[in-house]
């Protein structure tokens, strides 16, 4: 048992090192101009609702610019952020292709330009253009990988490790090397950060304080910077 | 907030009623004979390893008969079952198409007949046959939906509710109507059941005892039977 456990831990470490984990901030998955060819451009103001949980999905949305957030509510009524969709990602493709209801609420968290692709056009594109099916498969696989690793991490890792993993994930997507630190050029709200780690904000603040005190991270104008990547990864 | 919460709860309930949730026992997603056309038949004895976590995936596996189980280990070395793949499902399609390492261990939990499809053949099939890409998309979407709902339920539902949901899921796939009860014609091990609910076996046993005492379920020759579906769903 221990040997397999060690294999697993080594695998986990290697994987983190290679930044193969998919954060729940989805970006840059869909390339080319096909969403423009098939859909209609729609501009949504900050706070506009895109979909409500429990309703049928009759279209998917390609994020041209801006940001969509999917969320739900806990039984005590607290909002929980599930995923963030930025430029070059598609939300509700899987639900739309499979004619399912959505599980989540979705809204624009900033002014956002979307390409709205109705089911009939998405289905046509998926069934006639291998570039489309390949790119959608990559996007849905990324969502699958992100939720699988979140599930696994909730069951197997400490809150402290999960926070470090999110910082590693963010730096793999948004990291910019500077002398002595890696700046994360994306401002993740504390609420989303806590939700992504599966902890409450109080716990998050305590862990971030500990990381700052140990000189592992610093916060620069509201952005996180990693000063000791080794400590984040191990 | 409360209104949205109520909407969410109604949506959840409706969804459970309509059995739209995907349990983590995957079955009957891939139809037709294409895996036979593309791959090679391989018979694996009970306990044979198919893949080790942290290694590259160079092939996917179609389950012709039998059962594959994916699993990992917690940091304290406990085995955790993530998913069960039965006839007509494919394991590692997403990792294979996207040239990723696997996150999980995978083994045959009974004598299992598989179709082994190497990357090159899977890629060719995906890029030239819309029936293949459509069916693989459906399979990967199901995995995505299963892990998303597990993630959400871990964050938002009680252990008791999660156990009831798994019984509802099982009955939607394996339920057979009998006078006064729905028999679940699949024997799920207590360990897998506990892992699927994100609880330990002691908690699971306590909850199942409570459900039996309230006459909501009964156990017949090791199989679960639901006597009060309303109590399971609400």
């Amino acid at each position: 048992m221990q040997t397999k456990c060690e294999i697993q831990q080594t695998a986990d470490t290697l994987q983190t090192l290679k930044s193969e984990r998919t954060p729940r901030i989805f970006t840059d998955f869909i390339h080319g101009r096909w969403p423009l060819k098939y859909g209609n451009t729609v501009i949504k103001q900050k706070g506009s609702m895109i979909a409500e949980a429990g309703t049928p999905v009759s279209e998917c949305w390609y994020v041209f610019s801006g940001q969509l957030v999917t969320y739900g509510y806990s039984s005590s009524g607290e909002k929980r952020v599930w995923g963030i969709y930025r430029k070059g990602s598609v939300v509700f493709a899987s639900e739309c292709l499979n004619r399912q209801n959505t599980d989540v609420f979705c809204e624009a968290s900033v002014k956002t330009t979307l390409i709205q692709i109705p089911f009939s056009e998405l289905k046509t594109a998926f069934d006639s253009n291998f570039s489309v099916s390949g790119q959608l498969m990559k996007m849905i696989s990324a969502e699958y990988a992100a939720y699988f690793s979140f599930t696994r991490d909730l069951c197997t890792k400490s809150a402290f490790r999960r926070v470090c993993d999110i910082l590693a994930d963010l730096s793999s997507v948004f990291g910019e090397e500077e002398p002595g630190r890696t700046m994360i050029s994306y401002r993740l709200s504390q609420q989303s950060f806590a939700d992504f780690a599966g902890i409450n904000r109080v716990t998050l603040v305590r862990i971030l304080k500990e990381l700052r005190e140990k000189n592992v991270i610093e916060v620069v104008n509201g952005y996180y910077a990693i000063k000791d990547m080794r400590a984040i990864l191990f």
Side-chain angles (χ1 to χ4, degrees), chain A residues 50-59 70 91-106 119:
Chain A
I50 310 299
E52 297 216 3
T55 59
V57 172
S58 53
E59 62 226 347
T70 55
V91 67
F92 298 134
S94 146
E95 293 87 338
C96 182
L97 278 171
N98 297 309
R99 308 299 280 161
Q100 288 166 334
N101 284 4
T102 167
D103 268 347
V104 296
F105 294 87
C106 179
F119 167 74

Side-chain angles (χ1 to χ4, degrees), chain A residues 193-211:
Chain A
F193 198 154
D195 290 343
F196 285 9
I199 54 183
N200 62 36
R201 287 175 69 169
V202 176
T203 307
L204 176 67
V205 167
R206 183 178 53 70
I207 292 171
L208 290 174
K209 183 162 173 276
E210 185 182 337
L211 287 170

Side-chain angles (χ1 to χ4, degrees), chain A residues 124-190:
Chain A
T124 303
F126 187 86
D127 286 350
S128 65
N129 184 330
F130 289 112
S131 163
V132 173
S133 52
Q135 290 184 34
L136 286 174
M137 176 65 98
K138 201 175 153 215
M139 175 69 221
I140 293 172
S141 295
E143 295 184 291
Y144 164 44
Y147 287 103
F148 175 77
S149 55
F150 182 51
T151 295
R152 183 197 55 188
D153 294 353
L154 274 182
C155 295
T156 60
K157 291 182 182 173
S158 68
F160 182 85
R161 192 94 295 281
R162 297 202 299 269
V163 167
C164 290
D165 283 349
I166 288 167
L167 289 167
D169 289 347
L170 288 172
S171 76
S172 78
V173 181
F174 300 104
E176 291 172 4
E177 292 305 321
E178 290 187 359
R181 66 187 183 195
T182 306
M183 280 298 305
I184 295 170
S185 64
Y186 177 77
R187 197 189 287 261
L188 185 66
S189 75
Q190 275 198 352

Side-chain angles (χ1 to χ4, degrees), chain A residues 37-131:
Chain A
K37 189 176 152 201
Y38 288 98
N40 316 302
T41 304
V42 179
I43 294 173
K44 295 280 184 181
Q45 299 303 320
K46 179 178 174 175
S48 290
M49 201 75 137
I50 310 299
E52 297 216 3
T55 59
V57 172
S58 53
E59 62 226 347
C60 73
W61 305 84
Y62 168 78
V63 183
F64 188 81
S65 69
Q67 180 170 288
L68 296 179
V69 172
T70 55
Y71 59 98
Y73 291 94
S74 71
S75 48
S76 57
E78 288 162 283
K79 186 171 173 175
R80 286 184 192 265
V81 174
W82 297 126
I84 294 175
Y85 296 78
R86 290 169 59 79
K87 67 174 169 54
S89 62
V90 170
V91 67
F92 298 134
S94 146
E95 293 87 338
C96 182
L97 278 171
N98 297 309
R99 308 299 280 161
Q100 288 166 334
N101 284 4
T102 167
D103 268 347
V104 296
F105 294 87
C106 179
E107 68 180 33
S109 62
V110 295
K111 185 178 171 182
T112 298
T113 303
L114 299 165
I115 315 289
Q116 177 187 31
I117 309 172
F119 167 74
S120 57
E121 291 189 41
L122 181 69
K123 181 81 179 127
T124 303
F126 187 86
D127 286 350
S128 65
N129 184 330
F130 289 112
S131 163

